[in-house]
Every structure is written in structure tokens, then in C-alpha cells.
């Protein structure tokens, strides 16, 4: 019997000279997000997966755009923007996200 996969990789489109990249999601979210095309987008010391046609982040797709109040953002707990498993995502105020980013970059 094969083990049940806990996470699945979403292939990302990348520019020339960039190695193949995957964004990770929970297996339960994979069927919902696999229908979209995502590309790798650099920012804040990591890469993020963004939809190719409207630039919505995969992390926002996972958490549900309508569940994110104005002034809040989706934070990647382990600071890896390609790890979009629910256990790594948290909705926090934008000001808190800035504070955490400054701590990460030593500012």
C-alpha cells in the first residue's frame, strides 16, 4: 500500500537561466489550485508563487481571498515563500508582517 502524500508540488514558470522551481501545497488543496498557472516571483529575500494572469499569490488562493480582511496579509511562518502548506501560513496585520520582516533582515 502506497503512503498518502501530505504535500504536492506546483510547477512554476521561471525566466531563462533559472532552475525549475516548485511551490508546495497540502494535498487537499492541490486539486483546487492545479488548474491555475503560476510563476516564480522574487521578493523580500525569497520567491513567491503568483498566478500568471493576475498576479494573485498562491498563498492568498490557499487561505481564501475573502478570508483576508483589509489591512491583513498572509505570512509564511518559516519565511519560505514557496511553502504554501496551511501549517506554514498565518493571516496577520500588515504592520506585524513588516515588524517580522525587519527582524529577519536585521533592521
Amino acid at each position: 500500500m502506497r503512503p498518502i502524500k501530505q504535500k504536492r508540488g506546483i510547477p512554476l514558470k521561471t525566466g531563462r537561466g533559472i532552475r525549475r522551481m516548485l511551490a508546495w501545497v497540502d494535498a487537499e488543496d492541490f486539486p483546487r489550485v492545479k488548474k491555475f498557472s503560476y510563476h516564480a516571483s522574487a521578493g523580500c529575500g525569497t520567491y513567491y508563487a503568483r498566478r500568471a494572469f493576475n498576479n494573485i499569490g498562491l498563498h492568498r488562493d490557499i487561505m481564501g481571498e475573502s478570508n483576508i480582511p483589509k489591512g491583513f496579509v498572509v505570512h509564511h511562518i518559516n519565511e519560505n515563500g514557496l511553502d504554501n502548506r496551511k501549517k506554514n501560513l498565518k493571516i496577520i496585520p500588515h504592520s506585524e508582517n513588516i515588524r517580522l520582516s525587519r527582524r529577519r533582515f536585521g533592521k
Side-chain angles (χ1 to χ4, degrees):
M1 185 174 189
R2 291 174 57 183
I4 298 172
K5 288 189 175 185
Q6 300 299 314
K7 67 179 182 178
R8 299 283 305 266
I10 301 282
L12 304 177
K13 294 181 179 183
T14 58
R16 287 189 183 165
I18 299 175
R19 61 185 165 74
R20 181 175 178 248
M21 299 175 87
L22 292 174
W24 296 102
V25 298
D26 291 315
E28 67 186 41
D29 294 316
F30 184 76
R32 185 168 42 90
V33 298
K34 74 175 182 177
K35 60 186 170 188
F36 299 113
S37 176
Y38 292 93
H39 68 273
S41 176
C44 296
T46 187
Y47 281 93
Y48 296 94
R50 297 201 170 276
R51 278 198 216 167
F53 65 92
N54 64 5
N55 216 29
I56 292 176
L58 175 57
H59 52 282
R60 293 184 76 89
D61 280 340
I62 296 296
M63 297 302 280
E65 192 73 30
S66 63
N67 295 329
I68 305 168
K70 185 175 181 173
F72 284 70
V73 296
V74 179
H75 174 68
H76 291 82
I77 297 166
N78 70 3
E79 300 175 354
N80 178 350
L82 297 179
D83 184 353
N84 292 281
R85 295 172 296 155
K86 284 186 183 132
K87 73 178 187 179
N88 186 47
L89 301 177
K90 181 178 175 182
I91 297 173
I92 63 173
H94 181 65
S95 57
E96 176 71 5
N97 199 46
I98 290 170
R99 187 183 69 76
L100 292 169
S101 295
R102 285 184 178 152
R103 187 180 72 197
R104 182 172 78 192
F105 292 112
K107 295 180 181 177

